[in-house]
Each structure stands twice: as C-alpha cells, then as structure tokens.
DNA sequence: CGTGCAGTTGACGACACTCAACCCTGGTGG
DNA sequence: CCACCAGGGTTGAGTGTCGTCAACTGCACG
C-alpha cells in the first residue's frame, strides 16, 4: 500500500519537527518520499538489514524491537505520530537498522530515501539539532527505565503507563495513545506476560485501570502515581 | 586543578573524533577550553545542574550515573579517553545534565564552554555527524543491555566485561581499561553487590579472571564467552 | 469449525535480594 | 605509634519476587 506524497503535506506542517518550516521547504526535504500504509503486525524494516531509508511516523504506532540470544523479543521503544525513525544512523558509512520496526494496529509512515538525509537534511543545522534532541530524549527514556531496574514490577508497569500517557496530548481522556497487549508491555519491561497480567488484573479489579478494545484507560491516576512512589503495596 | 590548553593538542590529534583535523582547526574548536584534573570519586558535574559546558575525556575514566527514587546509584555508562560528554544536550534551549559524572581513579577532562558547541561545532557537519554516531553507539549499548534483562546475572556480568574489554585497544593484555569495584558493576547491571561478588569470586577461584589492584584481568576468555552463549552453568 | 492470538489462573521452584556478620587495607588524627 | 574508621571484598542464612510450566477461556477470522 503506497501512495505518493503531496496529500500528506498539511499533515506534516503540524508535526513538531517541521514546525516553523514553509510548505516549499518541507516538499524539498521530503522529495521522492512515499507514504506507506502498514497493517497490524506488518514489518517496516528488520534489524540487521541495510538501512536505505528513514522516515516519520504519520499515524498509528510502531514498536521498535530486537530479539535476544534466547529468542525473546525485547521492545526498545514505542513510536507514535511525529516520531522520526532511523534518521540517527543515516550518517554512518554503511548503516544497518539496529532494531526491527513493526506496526501496532494500522499505521502510516512517510518513507524517505537515505539520500535525502545526506544531501538535504544535513544542510539544515536546525533540523539536525531537532533530530539530535529527539535522540537524546529517547536516550533519556532508556536511562529512566534503567534507573528502575531494581524496582518491583508493579512500579515499572505503572511508570511505563504514565510515560505513555504523557505522550497523549488530549488530556481529557486518560487513554494510552496506542493499543498495547500485555505481552508487549512485558517485552518492554523485560518481564513475563503472566506477571504483567497478574498485576494489571489486580488493578482492573480494583478500578485503577480499564481496558476497552486493546486500549488501556487509566481511571485512578492518583493510585498509579502512588504505586510508583511508595513501596509495592501490591 | 586546572591547566590551560595548548599542551593537550598533540593528545587531541590522536583522538578518534579529531582525526583528520588540522592542528589549527582543533585549536579553534577548543577555544577557551581548560584541562580539568579530577581525583578519584571527584564529581565533574551533577545530574540536574544547568549544563554550561561539555567536553572530552583525555585520560582515566568517568562513570555517568543517576540515582533512583529509592536512593541507589544506577550507572548508565562508563566513559574512557576519547569519549565526548554532554555534547548531545548542548543543542537544547536550556540544557540540564541528565546524569552525574564522577571520576574513577585520577582522570583528566577537556572542558569546553557551551558557546563553542553552538557557535563553532555546529558549523562543521562532519563533527556533528561524528557526535551523532557516538550517541547512537551509546544508544546501541543501552539497548544491548536491555536485551539481556531476562538473562541470569552471570551472563550480564560476562557480557559487561567483554564489552569493556573491547574498548581496550592493546589486545595483548586482557585487562579492563578502567578500575572497577564490584559495587560499580552491580550498579551498572542493576544487581546487588553480594550477587556480583558471589559470581566473580567463583570465577576467580576457577581461574577465569583475576583482580590485581582494582583492575580486572580476564584469563580464560573462552570460558567467559561460553558463559554468555550457554545457559548459566554457574 | 479449526487455528491462532490474547488474556487468565494456579502450582512450583529458583535466582537473586536482604540482612548481618566479618576480614583486610590504607589513611588519618590524637 | 597506635587506634580508629571508611571503603572494598566476602560469606552464610533466610526470604520473596518473579519466571516457568501447564491448562483453560473467549474471540476473531478464514
């Protein structure tokens, strides 16, 4: 499923990274770009493949994962609309995707050839800085998670939910911006599905959270926050 | 302990990041830089402080850490000579150090004002790319560790030792490039000191490794590698 | 109507954490 | 000169969180 650019431009104008850019400039930067539509669980690129494109998530969500030596998936990051993928490695001589990108639910992605980065993006130091900031933000997220490595699982889950919730701009509904399975939460935290289920089922029963469809909604935010700060009162 | 620049230039010429740069260019980029000498356990900058300088590790080593809510230290990265610190966040509007940098053993650091980055480094797209590559390397390291989150502790330690050993250019001696305490290993892996000691003591007894001074030397590399691939045969 | 995915629950066991001692060394001050 | 202390390393006993295994439900989809 591939559509040409053009129609996507108004969408691009709203993205954080292109704010303050003119329509003409955006069109130039995204020259030869294509809009890719991904189905649920469809793979955008695989870890280890030669990286000949990068791009921007337009809608839906993608999970970035690798598999450990023992074969389990480990999720490194959840990317939602506005997130830039693989731009960081374009500068390398022979870039290879470090992770696998898989769609979560139907999603859309603006696919840009590597050349654009090397020839066009590189010239614009504002753009480079924005990307550098995105990268260091992602780094900070990884570090945050590492800082919780000794915390009990309940705190890790609570913390993850809060972080994802913060990305949801519409503050009125307390719904996570992407559909998550318990397995994906487990893979993100390096835990087992069963353990995640045990904790989240408990929360559901006590009305802290609620899961409609595949979306998770937080009902008692204070309870979740409390969980993070206090010791694990289950 | 602060010395002026100048004497450090020949040293800088050898660093990965400045390779292929002329002496004049380096002097320009490092304008107003000072060489800071740190004692063991001395703090270079603290997490949360306003980031008004960045720089390059010249000698010795620094650990980058944060403290979790429960007060324990969590080490995010070990930086040795040639590593660039805090450059990644200089592009932000009001940068704040995300981690605390503490010297491990007597160390030296080339301290550069933030202005240099904004006014000089920014102009050089090669330099920016090198830094971006450094950052994505560090990111990859964090991801590697995350991928091992479910592995038994012995594998994590073995993997950490190997990663650190790879940074040691002199391949003849199998000594880690920096002095590490068991506590620091534990903080790096999110484990307890005692657990680390139990595993490493076992390795010492069986001649896999050896610890002179505070330095760790690997005797039977094959055994360590074996540990990583196979299941935990203790 | 079978297959596959998501969610759930229970029993069991193990790895690693906590707590509590203890040793050794080097530095520092009385 | 010696006593004291801090930092690093070590060991043992007890405990708990969480992973593994296994079985079962509900649902969607072709």
């Amino acid at each position: 499923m591939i559509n040409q650019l053009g129609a996507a431009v108004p969408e691009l104008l709203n993205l954080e990274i292109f704010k303050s850019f003119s329509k003409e400039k955006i069109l130039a930067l995204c020259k030869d770009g294509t809009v890719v539509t991904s189905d649920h669980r469809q793979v955008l690129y695989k870890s280890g493949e030669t990286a000949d494109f990068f791009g921007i998530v337009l809608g839906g969500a993608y999970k970035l994962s690798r598999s450990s030596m023992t074969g389990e998936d480990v999720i490194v990051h959840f990317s939602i609309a506005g997130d830039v993928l693989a731009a960081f490695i374009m500068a390398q001589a022979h870039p290879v995707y470090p992770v696998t990108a898989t769609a979560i639910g139907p999603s859309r992605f603006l696919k840009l050839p590597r050349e654009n980065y090397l020839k066009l993006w590189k010239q614009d130091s504002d753009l480079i800085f924005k990307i550098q900031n995105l990268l260091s933000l992602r780094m900070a997220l990884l570090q945050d998670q590492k800082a919780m490595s000794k915390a009990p699982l309940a705190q890790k889950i609570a913390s993850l939910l809060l972080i994802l919730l913060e990305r949801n701009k519409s503050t009125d509904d307390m719904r996570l911006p992407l559909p998550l399975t318990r397995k994906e939460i487990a893979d993100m935290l390096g835990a087992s599905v069963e353990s995640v289920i045990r904790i989240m089922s408990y929360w559901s029963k006590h009305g802290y959270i609620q899961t409609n469809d595949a979306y998770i909604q937080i009902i008692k935010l204070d309870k979740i926050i409390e969980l993070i700060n206090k010791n694990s009162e289950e």
Side-chain angles (χ1 to χ4, degrees), chain A:
Chain A
M1 292 285 167
I2 293 185
N3 301 323
Q4 288 314 305
L5 197 59
V9 174
E11 224 173 339
L12 293 173
L13 277 162
N14 285 324
L15 297 183
E16 192 60 40
I17 194 166
F18 284 148
K19 245 168 200 162
S20 81
F21 282 15
S22 74
K23 189 177 168 185
E24 290 70 31
K25 186 165 186 178
I26 294 179
L27 271 174
L29 288 171
C30 299
K31 185 171 165 292
D32 298 328
T34 53
V35 176
V36 179
T37 306
S38 312
D39 292 330
H40 181 47
R41 256 177 290 159
Q42 194 174 328
V43 173
L44 197 58
Y45 53 79
K46 274 212 186 76
S47 158
E49 287 177 355
T50 301
D52 50 10
F53 69 87
F54 68 110
I56 304 174
V57 178
L58 295 176
Y62 292 85
K63 61 177 170 185
L64 309 185
S65 62
R66 348 160 98 214
S67 52
S68 62
M69 325 111 281
T70 50
E72 311 122 359
D73 268 5
V74 178
I75 294 178
V76 165
H77 189 74
F78 292 113
S79 283
I80 58 177
D83 226 342
V84 180
L85 299 189
F88 327 120
I89 55 164
M90 287 295 117
Q92 293 167 16
H94 298 288
V96 159
Y97 296 115
V99 294
T100 299
T102 313
I104 304 183
S107 306
R108 289 177 320 112
F109 178 76
L110 175 60
K111 184 173 177 173
L112 302 168
R114 175 161 175 251
E115 280 187 6
N116 286 33
Y117 192 87
L118 297 179
K119 291 186 182 162
L120 304 170
W121 291 46
K122 174 174 176 168
Q123 308 307 327
D124 191 313
S125 57
D126 280 348
L127 198 53
I128 297 282
F129 274 11
K130 278 183 187 167
I131 289 177
Q132 205 163 105
N133 287 343
L134 270 179
L135 182 50
S136 67
L137 242 161
R138 217 139 109 184
M139 186 103 145
L141 274 181
L142 273 177
Q143 291 181 2
D144 285 345
Q145 281 172 36
K146 186 167 184 179
M148 299 205 65
S149 55
K150 294 182 86 168
L153 186 54
Q155 284 184 38
K156 292 192 207 171
I157 300 177
S159 164
L160 176 63
L161 294 188
L162 279 194
I163 288 174
L164 291 175
L165 190 62
E166 272 171 27
R167 292 212 226 159
N168 194 351
K169 301 292 165 67
S170 55
T171 44
D172 49 336
D173 63 338
M174 297 269 107
R175 209 181 71 164
L176 298 199
L178 74 171
L180 278 187
T181 68
R182 322 284 147 143
K183 171 123 183 50
E184 279 159 350
I185 294 176
D187 286 345
M188 184 71 177
L189 299 175
S192 71
V193 206
E194 295 93 327
S195 299
V196 172
I197 285 176
R198 268 183 257 272
I199 290 167
M200 291 186 63
S201 294
Y202 180 90
W203 291 351
S204 277
K205 280 202 194 88
H206 291 250
Y208 299 178
I209 62 172
Q210 195 177 322
T211 53
N212 319 320
D213 279 330
Y215 286 91
I216 298 169
Q217 197 162 10
I218 295 184
I219 311 294
K220 296 188 182 172
L221 187 59
D222 50 338
K223 286 285 184 186
I224 301 293
I225 293 175
E226 201 175 288
L227 273 173
I228 295 181
N229 299 321
K230 308 238 169 164
N231 304 350
S232 62
E233 50 172 288
E234 202 177 357

